[in-house]
Amino acid sequence: MKPRTLVPLVVAFCMGLLPMSAARAGDAGIVIPKLLPQPAHMVRMQGSFAIDGNTGIHADGVVARTAATQFAAMLPASGPQPKRVASKTPEGIAFAIDVAQSWPSPDAYAIDIDASGVRVRAGDGKGLYYGAVTLAQLLTSGESTASVRLPALHIDDAPRFGWRGLMLDSARHFQSVDDIKRLLDAMAQLKLDVFHWHLTDDQGWRFPVPGWPKLTTVGACRIPSGDGGIDAATGKPVPYCGFYSEAQIREVVAYAAARHIDVVPEVDIPGHATAAIAAYPQLGVSGQPIAVSSEWGVNVNLFNADEATMRFLEDVMAQVAKLFPGRYVHIGGDEAVKDQWKASAKMQARIHELGVNGEEGLQAWMIARLERALSAHGKRVIGWDEILAGKLPQSATVMSWRGTDGAIDAARQGHDVVMAPASDLYLDYLQTDSPEEIPGRPTLVTLKQVYEFEPVPKVLDAQQATHILGVQANVWTEHMRTIARVQHALFPRIEALAEVAWSPKSERDYAGFLRRLPAMLPRWRAQGIAYAATPFQPIVTSDAQDGGVQVTLSEPLGYTLRYTTDGSAPTAASPEYYATLGLPLPAAVNAQAFFDGKPLGAVVARAFTITSLLTRSDEELATCTRKLVLRLEDDGPRIGDRAIFNVDIFDPCWTWKRAPLTGIAEVQVRAGRIPYFFQLAHDESSRVFKPARTAHGELELRAGCDGQALATVPLPAQPDADGFITLHAPLRGMPANTDLCIRFTGDTRPAMWVLDRVTLVPH
Ligand code: ACM
């Protein structure tokens, strides 16, 4: 079918040039499209078409009928419910494969809306599916009512990149098949098309391999560190286990395929291999039994490169090739510190026997061998950028995570590249400074940073740039015990990723994105997705000043903030926040973010008294060096909520800058104790602590990180039954505005004290 001639334009414009919120005369009741990702080309025409329960959906042929059925399933129950009809109605929605037009990619589609209906066309089922996704977003761009009037439009859309990926780490924490399906649904709605599934690591092996049963009976279980791994009633260890059966993997792959998503499995070699070696010690360098790791970081255990181990890995690759029909298999290659290979006479003999160039040469040899095995199964190899260290088979694709240098090197060497730099696209890094963030790495990767990431490095010439297949965000799950945390980490930043991956560079516009983003929130809520509330909520900070309080509000994404100081909930008519509020004590501030006259997130309520201003939580304190700050969850209780602590694991200390110490008689420190559950490999030497002077160490207060000692209090052997202790340190004659630094002495292994709250007690 050819595109129908559209009614003459009154105003036709590229949506990128005019704010999407710009309404025009005669537009009353017509929704303003809120599409994510923004289409490559969208032109508004004169006229409109209403869709309701009487509208027919027509599709000819299996592929179009599938897209039409999927479209109907995408619509929320509260919106219009057009019905599938067998014969074409004069007015309605039509899905059709159009082979007469030449399409730029299988993902391309077109939508035409005029007074007589909606036509969705594509050359391929994938493009038609994306047309259905866009049409569903058009219908959910405004209020959800039984009839929705769409503007007349012409959309011609195709993606900028073919690889629009998301990596989920199911090794560190395990997600159910249903949770993964919900994630695949969300990916498909954002036109993401690669699900990179990280299935093996030091902490767990997550799929069966025929002939190697212990991979799942042993390698799929670990005993979590500390209280999380012990049954409080019996004192017995409680393993954390999980693996996907062959049937479940097939189910996930089929579910993804129905949504035009390829699944790329990852088997990490030669490092991140502890779980496999725990199952079969003969795969490791020492051959000695080891446990599946319950510690995060970089573990030194590597596969050896014996012939028997290579045959094991070839069995694994055969199984992967059987279960995953896609083109790529990810073989890891990251963070394989070579200490064990260097120290082993057997490994050195193997290097000599193979005639390879040292340890990097041995890793490259393993990769080349697996590449041959995989290409015999019709697969291509992809690996983390460390695989560039040795001679890499030309067909291998490089996933650049340590910045973009790996991508540049790889593209210059003629390798295909997927951009996934940790600095911009690691979604386990936290997204705001809010004290309500989930556990993770508090180095910020903001929504704006993700949005503004440019996948094609400027230094590549046009030919080299053709090697950039696309972009991918990664979510590592060390600190994400629940799917709600994974969803918090992903949403809304995954929307920014989708636009980077799909929309032409010329259509990328952060301000326009922020105007469209709020339309996603009810869509996610309807699907039960626990998107992060923190970007849509004010962050409140306060400082005591002149007997009153200075309250500063910020909204992480820059949406309008409104507030009240009389205890009432803010409304669209409440004052807009512009600058720090100076308030007498006691004071109450209720603040909320608004967009288009409607609240975006919850009210944040804070009350301030003389006493409350003398207490700070760990989130409100600085650290001395910020060597490796983590936002860590307590190890217990095994079931239920756990405390969360901000701690610099290399140099644990907490500083209250310019603390109001005049007239303070005592500093109360509430502290918890968590296992030191990290493997740091070569960074171990960065871990510092002050030696204990008494049996269990001391709480130490100083004026500044390396300043004069103010007070020292001995620590007990253990916290109280609730997991905390409160220590009382007397102070005397301190000047105002002293930087108060709080540390705990003693080795941080095997467990370390962490600060929860500090309170200044006046005379
Ligand atoms: C990685 O983050 N180790 C690829």
Side-chain angles (χ1 to χ4, degrees):
M1 185 169 82
K2 285 261 184 284
R4 302 238 314 244
T5 310
L6 296 157
V7 288
L9 303 190
V10 170
V11 181
F13 54 86
C14 179
M15 288 295 187
L17 299 179
L18 202 73
M20 299 294 289
S21 54
R24 302 175 313 167
D27 274 0
I30 301 177
V31 299
I32 296 166
K34 300 275 173 65
L35 302 180
L36 260 142
Q38 179 75 342
H41 184 68
M42 175 160 70
V43 182
R44 170 91 185 264
M45 322 294 288
Q46 189 184 39
S48 63
F49 180 74
I51 295 179
D52 58 25
N54 294 319
T55 310
I57 310 173
H58 181 260
D60 264 339
V62 175
V63 177
R65 279 201 294 275
T66 302
T69 305
Q70 289 179 310
F71 164 69
M74 288 171 200
L75 300 178
S78 56
Q81 301 295 313
K83 299 279 172 322
R84 290 288 306 282
V85 287
S87 52
K88 207 163 184 170
T89 49
E91 293 197 330
I93 302 169
F95 283 88
I97 289 291
D98 180 355
V99 288
Q101 182 167 331
S102 119
W103 300 91
S105 88
D107 311 36
Y109 69 94
I111 297 181
D112 291 291
I113 304 175
D114 61 21
S116 70
V118 180
R119 288 157 302 282
V120 186
R121 296 175 297 114
D124 186 278
K126 189 173 181 188
L128 209 55
Y129 180 83
Y130 289 149
V133 165
T134 297
L135 185 56
Q137 285 197 354
L138 284 170
L139 286 171
T140 52
S141 288
E143 295 294 325
S144 197
T145 50
S147 172
V148 169
R149 184 164 286 281
L150 298 180
L153 286 176
H154 173 66
I155 295 175
D156 234 327
D157 201 7
R160 182 173 177 204
F161 295 106
W163 186 298
R164 303 182 297 278
L166 176 69
M167 188 216 75
L168 176 68
D169 170 8
S170 294
R172 271 52 176 274
H173 281 103
F174 183 78
Q175 304 83 23
S176 73
V177 167
D178 280 350
D179 288 338
I180 290 174
K181 284 181 175 174
R182 214 169 331 148
L183 192 55
L184 292 167
D185 282 335
M187 285 177 67
Q189 289 167 52
L190 293 167
K191 305 186 174 88
L192 298 177
D193 65 351
V194 177
F195 175 58
H196 169 178
W197 203 1
H198 185 79
L199 284 167
T200 72
D201 216 302
D202 298 307
Q203 298 81 5
W205 182 283
R206 304 284 176 226
F207 67 98
V209 178
W212 302 90
K214 287 191 194 168
L215 287 175
T216 49
T217 56
V218 175
C221 291
R222 66 169 177 269
I223 308 295
S225 303
D227 293 345
I230 299 169
D231 184 319
T234 63
K236 293 212 169 115
V238 182
Y240 177 94
C241 300
F243 71 93
Y244 304 99
S245 67
E246 289 193 358
Q248 285 175 318
I249 288 175
R250 288 201 172 93
E251 192 181 336
V252 168
V253 166
Y255 196 87
R259 286 150 188 79
H260 304 278
I261 296 171
D262 288 333
V263 183
V264 175
E266 180 182 348
V267 177
D268 212 339
I269 63 123
H272 290 286
T274 305
I277 298 169
Y280 294 100
Q282 70 269 28
L283 302 173
V285 174
S286 75
Q288 296 304 309
I290 55 171
V292 178
S293 180
S294 57
E295 300 189 316
W296 316 126
V298 176
N299 209 295
V300 293
N301 295 314
L302 299 186
F303 286 118
N304 62 45
D306 294 354
E307 196 46 39
T309 298
M310 294 314 295
R311 280 201 294 273
F312 159 77
L313 291 172
E314 283 162 357
D315 284 355
V316 171
M317 296 305 156
Q319 168 75 337
V320 159
K322 184 181 91 180
L323 292 176
F324 295 93
R327 191 162 179 227
Y328 288 92
V329 172
H330 201 300
I331 45 81
D334 59 320
E335 298 180 318
V337 292
K338 305 292 187 307
D339 301 10
Q340 288 191 341
W341 284 1
K342 283 195 174 113
S344 155
K346 210 170 123 207
M347 293 306 298
Q348 291 302 314
R350 183 74 168 142
I351 286 169
H352 186 72
E353 173 200 340
L354 294 169
V356 294
N357 187 11
E359 292 78 23
E360 293 304 342
L362 185 59
Q363 174 162 334
W365 176 86
M366 290 178 84
I367 291 168
R369 171 120 174 216
L370 296 180
E371 193 269 343
R372 280 197 300 280
L374 283 165
S375 61
H377 294 288
K379 305 289 181 191
R380 287 188 70 159
V381 156
I382 180 167
W384 301 110
D385 57 53
E386 285 93 331
I387 64 174
L388 280 165
K391 191 166 159 19
L392 191 58
Q394 198 54 47
S395 67
T397 299
V398 172
M399 186 167 273
S400 188
W401 74 278
R402 296 174 302 170
T404 53
D405 288 354
I408 294 165
D409 280 359
R412 284 182 173 152
Q413 290 176 34
H415 293 288
D416 284 346
V417 171
V418 174
M419 301 297 271
S423 52
D424 298 274
L425 298 179
Y426 269 29
L427 302 189
D428 46 318
Y429 285 52
L430 299 187
Q431 54 198 307
T432 75
D433 283 323
S434 168
E436 288 172 34
E437 279 300 344
I438 57 172
R441 309 193 221 188
T443 309
L444 288 189
V445 170
T446 63
L447 181 77
K448 186 161 193 262
Q449 224 173 314
V450 177
Y451 193 85
E452 292 183 344
F453 176 69
E454 171 46 43
V456 181
K458 280 200 188 76
V459 296
L460 296 183
D461 65 28
Q463 199 283 327
Q464 292 160 345
T466 61
H467 286 294
I468 309 290
L469 300 183
V471 278
Q472 178 170 298
N474 296 332
V475 61
W476 301 100
T477 59
E478 289 93 332
H479 307 293
M480 297 181 202
R481 277 190 301 136
T482 63
I483 190 67
R485 286 200 177 146
V486 174
Q487 292 171 343
H488 177 112
L490 289 177
F491 300 86
R493 289 181 292 184
I494 189 175
E495 279 98 330
L497 170 79
E499 199 140 311
V500 172
W502 181 280
S503 305
K505 203 172 164 186
S506 59
E507 290 299 301
R508 290 240 309 274
D509 157 31
Y510 185 60
F513 171 77
L514 288 184
R515 283 193 293 274
R516 286 175 280 124
L517 181 62
M520 291 308 293
L521 307 188
R523 293 175 186 142
W524 297 145
R525 280 199 293 272
Q527 293 168 50
I529 289 176
Y531 64 82
T534 45
F536 306 103
Q537 275 176 197
I539 298 174
V540 183
T541 54
S542 60
D543 254 316
Q545 200 164 336
D546 303 331
V549 60
Q550 301 276 316
V551 180
T552 303
L553 307 180
S554 61
E555 207 296 314
L557 305 183
Y559 287 109
T560 302
L561 281 183
R562 298 190 182 278
Y563 69 95
T564 63
T565 53
D566 62 0
S568 64
T571 68
S574 300
E576 188 173 338
Y577 174 84
Y578 288 109
T580 299
L581 310 170
L583 301 170
L585 292 171
V589 172
N590 287 352
Q592 196 169 21
F594 281 77
F595 174 72
D596 239 4
K598 296 195 196 78
L600 263 185
V603 177
V604 171
R606 292 278 183 278
F608 304 95
T609 61
I610 292 174
T611 315
S612 77
L613 290 171
L614 293 177
T615 291
R616 286 209 173 172
S617 69
D618 52 325
E619 290 93 359
E620 296 169 305
L621 301 173
T623 55
C624 288
T625 58
R626 287 197 75 79
K627 278 187 182 164
L628 180 51
V629 181
L630 293 175
R631 185 156 168 73
L632 288 177
E633 189 176 59
D634 207 346
D635 54 316
R638 200 169 64 75
I639 295 162
D641 284 348
R642 297 180 183 174
I644 300 173
F645 307 97
N646 280 11
V647 50
D648 182 345
I649 65 160
F650 280 166
D651 186 7
C653 61
W654 293 261
T655 301
W656 184 332
K657 297 259 187 203
R658 296 161 35 102
L661 294 186
T662 320
I664 297 302
E666 181 181 289
V667 177
Q668 283 180 10
V669 174
R670 185 171 194 258
R673 192 157 166 82
I674 58 176
Y676 196 89
F677 36 42
F678 307 100
Q679 285 291 329
L680 303 172
H682 295 168
D683 289 325
E684 176 66 27
S685 57
S686 301
R687 187 173 71 96
V688 298
F689 58 87
K690 293 197 175 213
R693 295 191 295 279
T694 52
H696 308 299
E698 301 82 28
L699 163 74
E700 208 181 74
L701 306 185
R702 287 182 178 272
C705 290
D706 299 310
Q708 170 207 349
L710 303 179
T712 302
V713 178
L715 290 161
Q718 292 296 334
D720 297 337
D722 68 352
F724 290 93
I725 48 160
T726 300
L727 298 153
H728 302 261
L731 271 196
R732 186 117 44 102
M734 292 304 304
N737 301 332
T738 304
D739 287 351
L740 175 67
C741 176
I742 301 161
R743 285 180 185 279
F744 304 95
T745 64
D747 197 337
T748 51
R749 280 190 205 279
M752 63 178 166
W753 291 99
V754 283
L755 184 141
D756 177 52
R757 199 165 63 216
V758 55
T759 302
L760 308 180
V761 183
H763 283 290

